[in-house]
Amino acid sequence: MKTPGYMQAMVFERTGQPLILKRVPVPKPGEGQVLLKILACGICRTDLHILDGELDQPKLPLIPGHEIIAVVAGWGQGLKHPALKTIVGVPWLGYTCGVCRYCKQGKENLCDHALFTGYTIDGGYAEYAVADARYCFPIDVHYHNASAAPLLCAGLIGFRSYRMINPAAINIGIYGFGAAAHIIIQIARAQGKRVFAFTRDGDAAAQQFARQSGAVWAGSSTEAAPELLDAAMIFASVGELIPMALKQLVKAGQVICGGIHMSEIPAFSYDLLWGERIIQSVANLTRQDGLDFFDILRTIPVQTQTTMFPLAQANEAIEKLRNGQINGAAVLTMT
């Protein structure tokens, strides 16, 4: 597959400044890497945390983006898999060392030397990218399209968060009804769960979106749900939601924090935690999470709601996402 010498990319150079559309060389795959012609890349809340300096150790300059759907266009030395023209997905986790204590325990999501797509490795806001072949997921033909891009982070982190919950849980709350929530609610409902959605005060559009997606109740995060919850997942990056969610739980209930960044958690009284309630964070993902998630999607197909933007309109898309003007997910497309 012939590739050009240069490509268009949206480049992050400095915190607080918009991305810059640049013409840059097409990257060359190294040993163990594949060259990818990108079809689409989702815009994730994590990207906003990077651009705003809340995740403060990016490589600079940086091509962001870690929800990538792409076609294999070439290989590095000694590598001929996946095959040319194979459609793959590239997630946040881009490399692990394989030798630290966490990798040896099967917890590569906690690897001491991990590299991350669109943060410490150039990502998918571009026409081409390179990726470690071991961290690319084969994508079922049903998801060979731009709408599948949010599955590579919103879907995967939602899935990792969801399966931390006790399988016996029935009433599940979701705080922050965006990209991750609208994907995982489809799996939860298929497995007989009842989902209660919590949004920002006055966000009637998000509440309606949640109800249309199958939530049995939707309201403000400051409201009490009509029933106690067995568990809650928090996808919004607001620390104040943790004590709010604890108030909604039965004994031994769980609060799962699915974001990579959260604002400061306010002090709360011990009685909210007592009764063996649990607060747990979710850190990154493992490759096994990806394999299990895409395996489930073969029996529980999900539909994503996406708003598409051409690559050059990445800044506009980011601002719409930041201001809550997108239901579901925003996706950049490369034509």
Side-chain angles (χ1 to χ4, degrees):
M1 184 181 293
K2 186 175 181 180
T3 58
Y6 289 84
M7 66 178 185
Q8 297 292 313
M10 296 298 293
V11 180
F12 172 51
E13 294 189 339
R14 188 176 301 175
T15 300
Q17 293 192 354
L19 302 177
I20 302 171
L21 180 64
K22 287 191 169 185
R23 184 173 180 265
V24 299
V26 171
K28 296 186 183 301
E31 185 174 355
Q33 292 183 321
V34 286
L35 174 66
L36 301 172
K37 180 175 173 57
I38 298 174
L39 303 177
C41 184
I43 298 176
C44 180
R45 286 278 173 184
T46 300
D47 298 337
L48 273 63
H49 295 314
I50 295 168
L51 301 181
D52 293 343
E54 293 162 335
L55 295 179
D56 59 2
Q57 296 182 350
K59 70 173 283 296
L60 292 176
L62 171 72
I63 299 173
H66 58 272
E67 296 181 337
I68 300 170
I69 300 291
V71 182
V72 175
W75 312 282
Q77 185 176 359
L79 184 68
K80 290 190 177 181
H81 183 81
L84 288 176
K85 299 186 180 180
T86 300
I87 305 291
V88 298
V90 183
W92 170 250
L93 186 69
Y95 167 84
T96 55
C97 71
V99 297
C100 72
R101 61 183 294 185
Y102 301 107
C103 286
K104 288 182 176 179
Q105 293 171 4
K107 300 176 181 178
E108 67 179 6
N109 60 305
L110 303 177
C111 174
D112 285 329
H113 308 289
L115 297 175
F116 302 103
T117 310
Y119 183 46
T120 53
I121 305 171
D122 280 331
Y125 289 15
E127 294 175 310
Y128 287 86
V130 294
D132 189 318
R134 299 170 298 172
Y135 297 82
C136 298
F137 296 123
I139 302 294
D140 189 88
V141 65
H142 183 69
Y143 301 105
H144 286 186
N145 53 68
S147 295
L151 298 176
L152 272 301
C153 186
L156 279 169
I157 292 299
F159 177 68
R160 183 172 176 85
S161 302
Y162 174 68
R163 67 174 181 175
M164 285 183 174
I165 294 172
N166 186 328
I170 298 298
N171 286 356
I172 298 175
I174 297 181
Y175 287 79
F177 204 88
H182 95 289
I183 293 170
I184 205 60
I185 191 175
Q186 297 176 60
I187 295 175
R189 289 186 62 219
Q191 295 181 341
K193 312 300 184 183
R194 303 175 72 242
V195 174
F196 298 75
F198 299 82
T199 73
R200 288 179 289 190
D201 287 344
D203 196 343
Q207 292 167 19
Q208 179 62 20
F209 179 46
R211 286 188 286 268
Q212 290 172 346
S213 300
V216 298
W217 176 88
S220 166
S221 59
T222 57
E223 296 181 61
E227 301 175 39
L228 288 177
L229 306 174
D230 300 309
M233 294 181 289
I234 300 178
F235 295 123
S237 58
V238 182
E240 293 176 357
L241 293 175
I242 290 180
M244 290 181 184
L246 286 170
K247 290 178 182 179
Q248 306 273 0
L249 294 185
V250 299
K251 294 176 184 177
Q254 300 166 270
V255 174
I256 308 298
C257 303
I260 194 170
H261 170 82
M262 184 172 274
S263 62
E264 187 171 341
I265 301 167
F268 56 87
S269 61
Y270 179 64
D271 64 289
L272 293 182
L273 187 62
W274 191 79
E276 300 192 352
R277 296 176 179 88
I278 297 167
I279 304 171
Q280 185 169 0
S281 68
V282 176
N284 312 314
L285 69 144
T286 67
R287 282 172 284 177
Q288 192 60 50
D289 289 327
L291 296 174
D292 293 345
F293 178 56
F294 285 108
D295 188 54
I296 281 181
L297 295 188
R298 292 188 178 95
T299 57
I300 306 176
V302 304
Q303 299 293 324
T304 58
Q305 178 163 317
T306 56
T307 303
M308 302 292 179
F309 297 85
L311 176 63
Q313 292 181 14
N315 289 314
E316 177 185 339
I318 287 166
E319 286 309 304
K320 286 182 178 293
L321 181 63
R322 189 192 303 279
N323 295 325
Q325 295 174 288
I326 294 175
N327 281 331
V331 176
L332 301 178
T333 58
M334 311 348 156
T335 54

